[in-house]
Amino acid sequence: MSSEETAASTKPTPDDDGMTWWYRWLCKIAGVLGGISCAVAGVWNCVTVNPLNIAAGVWMVSNAFVLFLCEVPFCCQFIEFANAVAARADKFKPWQKAFFYCGMALFPVFLSFSFTTLFGNAIAFATGVLYGLASLGKKGDAVTYARLQHQKQGDEERMTGTTNGAPE
Protein backbone atom coordinates (compact mmCIF):
# COMPACT_ATOMS: atom_id res chain seq x y z
CA MET A 1 0.00 0.00 0.00
CA SER A 2 1.43 3.36 -0.94
CA SER A 3 1.26 6.46 1.22
CA GLU A 4 -1.44 7.94 -1.03
CA GLU A 5 -3.67 4.90 -0.55
CA THR A 6 -3.13 5.06 3.21
CA ALA A 7 -4.03 8.76 3.27
CA ALA A 8 -7.11 8.08 1.15
CA SER A 9 -8.31 5.32 3.48
CA THR A 10 -7.96 7.53 6.59
CA LYS A 11 -9.97 10.43 5.17
CA PRO A 12 -13.19 11.09 7.05
CA THR A 13 -16.29 10.00 5.24
CA PRO A 14 -19.28 12.26 4.80
CA ASP A 15 -21.13 10.03 7.30
CA ASP A 16 -18.95 11.48 10.07
CA ASP A 17 -20.80 14.81 10.09
CA GLY A 18 -23.00 13.78 13.03
CA MET A 19 -26.22 13.36 11.05
CA THR A 20 -28.38 10.33 11.71
CA TRP A 21 -29.71 8.27 8.82
CA TRP A 22 -33.27 9.52 9.21
CA TYR A 23 -32.17 13.19 9.33
CA ARG A 24 -30.03 12.70 6.24
CA TRP A 25 -33.10 11.26 4.45
CA LEU A 26 -35.24 14.13 5.73
CA CYS A 27 -32.79 16.61 4.21
CA LYS A 28 -32.75 14.71 0.92
CA ILE A 29 -36.56 14.54 0.79
CA ALA A 30 -36.78 18.25 1.59
CA GLY A 31 -34.31 18.88 -1.23
CA VAL A 32 -36.43 16.91 -3.68
CA LEU A 33 -39.63 18.69 -2.61
CA GLY A 34 -37.79 22.02 -2.77
CA GLY A 35 -36.64 21.20 -6.29
CA ILE A 36 -40.16 20.31 -7.38
CA SER A 37 -41.63 23.48 -5.88
CA CYS A 38 -38.89 25.63 -7.42
CA ALA A 39 -39.40 24.07 -10.84
CA VAL A 40 -43.18 24.42 -10.84
CA ALA A 41 -43.16 27.95 -9.45
CA GLY A 42 -40.29 28.94 -11.74
CA VAL A 43 -42.13 27.83 -14.86
CA TRP A 44 -45.28 29.57 -13.63
CA ASN A 45 -43.25 32.71 -12.90
CA CYS A 46 -41.92 32.78 -16.48
CA VAL A 47 -45.45 33.17 -17.88
CA THR A 48 -45.44 36.96 -17.74
CA VAL A 49 -44.16 40.00 -19.58
CA ASN A 50 -42.18 41.46 -16.67
CA PRO A 51 -38.47 40.77 -17.30
CA LEU A 52 -37.62 40.54 -13.59
CA ASN A 53 -40.26 37.86 -13.11
CA ILE A 54 -38.86 35.94 -16.06
CA ALA A 55 -35.32 36.22 -14.65
CA ALA A 56 -36.51 35.04 -11.23
CA GLY A 57 -38.36 32.14 -12.88
CA VAL A 58 -35.30 31.07 -14.83
CA TRP A 59 -33.21 31.27 -11.64
CA MET A 60 -35.79 29.14 -9.82
CA VAL A 61 -35.71 26.48 -12.52
CA SER A 62 -31.91 26.44 -12.31
CA ASN A 63 -32.23 26.15 -8.50
CA ALA A 64 -34.42 23.10 -9.05
CA PHE A 65 -31.81 21.59 -11.35
CA VAL A 66 -29.02 22.18 -8.81
CA LEU A 67 -31.11 20.73 -5.98
CA PHE A 68 -31.86 17.61 -8.02
CA LEU A 69 -28.24 17.34 -9.10
CA CYS A 70 -26.87 17.60 -5.53
CA GLU A 71 -29.50 15.67 -3.60
CA VAL A 72 -30.78 12.99 -5.99
CA PRO A 73 -28.33 12.51 -8.87
CA PHE A 74 -30.18 9.40 -10.12
CA CYS A 75 -32.87 11.78 -11.40
CA CYS A 76 -30.21 13.24 -13.70
CA GLN A 77 -28.75 9.93 -14.89
CA PHE A 78 -28.42 11.05 -18.51
CA ILE A 79 -26.14 13.95 -17.58
CA GLU A 80 -22.53 12.77 -17.66
CA PHE A 81 -21.21 14.91 -14.81
CA ALA A 82 -24.14 14.31 -12.41
CA ASN A 83 -22.40 11.70 -10.26
CA ALA A 84 -19.23 13.78 -10.02
CA VAL A 85 -21.19 16.84 -8.89
CA ALA A 86 -23.18 14.79 -6.37
CA ALA A 87 -20.00 13.23 -4.95
CA ARG A 88 -18.47 16.67 -4.54
CA ALA A 89 -21.66 18.02 -2.95
CA ASP A 90 -21.65 15.13 -0.46
CA LYS A 91 -18.17 16.19 0.68
CA PHE A 92 -19.46 19.61 1.76
CA LYS A 93 -20.06 20.19 5.44
CA PRO A 94 -23.70 20.78 6.47
CA TRP A 95 -23.12 24.49 7.16
CA GLN A 96 -21.72 24.93 3.64
CA LYS A 97 -24.79 23.27 2.12
CA ALA A 98 -27.01 25.42 4.35
CA PHE A 99 -25.34 28.61 3.22
CA PHE A 100 -25.48 27.55 -0.44
CA TYR A 101 -29.12 26.42 -0.44
CA CYS A 102 -30.42 29.40 1.56
CA GLY A 103 -28.53 31.88 -0.61
CA MET A 104 -29.70 30.14 -3.75
CA ALA A 105 -33.33 30.32 -2.56
CA LEU A 106 -33.20 33.96 -1.46
CA PHE A 107 -31.89 35.41 -4.72
CA PRO A 108 -35.12 35.07 -6.76
CA VAL A 109 -37.13 36.53 -3.87
CA PHE A 110 -34.92 39.62 -3.86
CA LEU A 111 -35.05 39.78 -7.64
CA SER A 112 -38.84 39.73 -7.87
CA PHE A 113 -40.82 39.65 -4.63
CA SER A 114 -44.12 37.89 -5.26
CA PHE A 115 -46.14 35.01 -3.84
CA THR A 116 -44.84 32.71 -6.54
CA THR A 117 -41.19 33.35 -5.77
CA LEU A 118 -41.77 33.39 -2.03
CA PHE A 119 -43.69 30.14 -1.78
CA GLY A 120 -41.77 28.46 -4.60
CA ASN A 121 -38.47 28.93 -2.78
CA ALA A 122 -39.76 28.28 0.74
CA ILE A 123 -39.07 24.54 0.72
CA ALA A 124 -35.64 25.03 -0.86
CA PHE A 125 -34.87 27.54 1.90
CA ALA A 126 -36.18 25.05 4.47
CA THR A 127 -33.72 22.49 3.09
CA GLY A 128 -30.93 24.95 3.83
CA VAL A 129 -32.32 25.49 7.31
CA LEU A 130 -32.36 21.73 7.94
CA TYR A 131 -28.71 21.49 6.91
CA GLY A 132 -27.94 24.48 9.12
CA LEU A 133 -29.54 22.75 12.09
CA ALA A 134 -27.48 19.65 11.31
CA SER A 135 -24.31 21.71 11.53
CA LEU A 136 -25.17 22.66 15.12
CA GLY A 137 -24.69 19.04 16.17
CA LYS A 138 -26.54 16.71 18.46
CA LYS A 139 -28.19 17.78 21.66
CA GLY A 140 -26.21 16.85 24.77
CA ASP A 141 -27.58 14.38 27.29
CA ALA A 142 -28.68 15.33 30.81
CA VAL A 143 -25.96 13.34 32.61
CA THR A 144 -23.13 15.13 30.82
CA TYR A 145 -24.78 18.49 31.39
CA ALA A 146 -25.24 17.78 35.13
CA ARG A 147 -21.60 16.70 35.39
CA LEU A 148 -20.44 19.93 33.73
CA GLN A 149 -22.64 22.04 36.01
CA HIS A 150 -21.29 20.24 39.09
CA GLN A 151 -17.71 20.78 37.92
CA LYS A 152 -18.43 24.46 37.22
CA GLN A 153 -19.92 24.89 40.70
CA GLY A 154 -16.84 23.29 42.28
CA ASP A 155 -14.56 25.59 40.32
CA GLU A 156 -16.53 28.66 41.47
CA GLU A 157 -16.33 27.53 45.09
CA ARG A 158 -12.56 27.12 44.86
CA MET A 159 -12.23 30.58 43.30
CA THR A 160 -14.26 32.30 46.02
CA GLY A 161 -12.96 30.11 48.85
CA THR A 162 -16.41 29.10 50.07
CA THR A 163 -18.09 25.75 50.54
CA ASN A 164 -21.86 25.54 50.93
CA GLY A 165 -22.07 29.31 51.43
CA ALA A 166 -19.75 29.48 54.47
CA PRO A 167 -16.24 31.02 54.25
CA GLU A 168 -13.32 28.75 55.12
Side-chain angles (χ1 to χ4, degrees):
M1 222 185 203
S2 69
S3 62
E4 291 176 6
E5 291 173 344
T6 307
S9 65
T10 59
K11 284 184 181 175
T13 61
D15 295 336
D16 292 339
D17 56 7
M19 291 172 62
T20 58
W21 66 270
W22 61 268
Y23 197 80
R24 188 177 312 277
W25 274 96
L26 178 69
C27 290
K28 294 235 182 248
I29 290 170
V32 170
L33 293 177
I36 291 170
S37 71
C38 274
V40 169
V43 169
W44 181 257
N45 212 21
C46 286
V47 182
T48 185
V49 292
N50 188 352
L52 286 178
N53 284 350
I54 295 171
V58 169
W59 187 271
M60 289 170 65
V61 171
S62 66
N63 283 353
F65 176 71
V66 169
L67 278 168
F68 285 141
L69 198 60
C70 292
E71 295 296 327
V72 283
F74 60 85
C75 290
C76 308
Q77 63 184 349
F78 298 110
I79 300 173
E80 292 180 17
F81 59 89
N83 289 331
V85 170
R88 183 166 174 115
D90 282 340
K91 291 179 184 176
F92 288 152
K93 292 179 176 35
W95 69 267
Q96 292 170 327
K97 283 185 178 182
F99 185 73
F100 181 66
Y101 289 161
C102 287
M104 208 169 59
L106 283 177
F107 185 74
V109 174
F110 290 141
L111 195 60
S112 170
F113 187 77
S114 66
F115 285 122
T116 310
T117 56
L118 191 64
F119 292 124
N121 287 305
I123 302 175
F125 187 82
T127 303
V129 169
L130 286 173
Y131 276 112
L133 289 174
S135 70
L136 294 176
K138 291 184 179 178
K139 181 180 169 185
D141 60 342
V143 175
T144 307
Y145 182 72
R147 204 176 289 144
L148 285 172
Q149 284 297 98
H150 183 66
Q151 181 183 7
K152 182 179 175 184
Q153 184 181 10
D155 289 343
E156 288 176 358
E157 288 175 356
R158 271 186 256 132
M159 298 264 307
T160 59
T162 61
T163 307
N164 295 332
E168 292 180 14

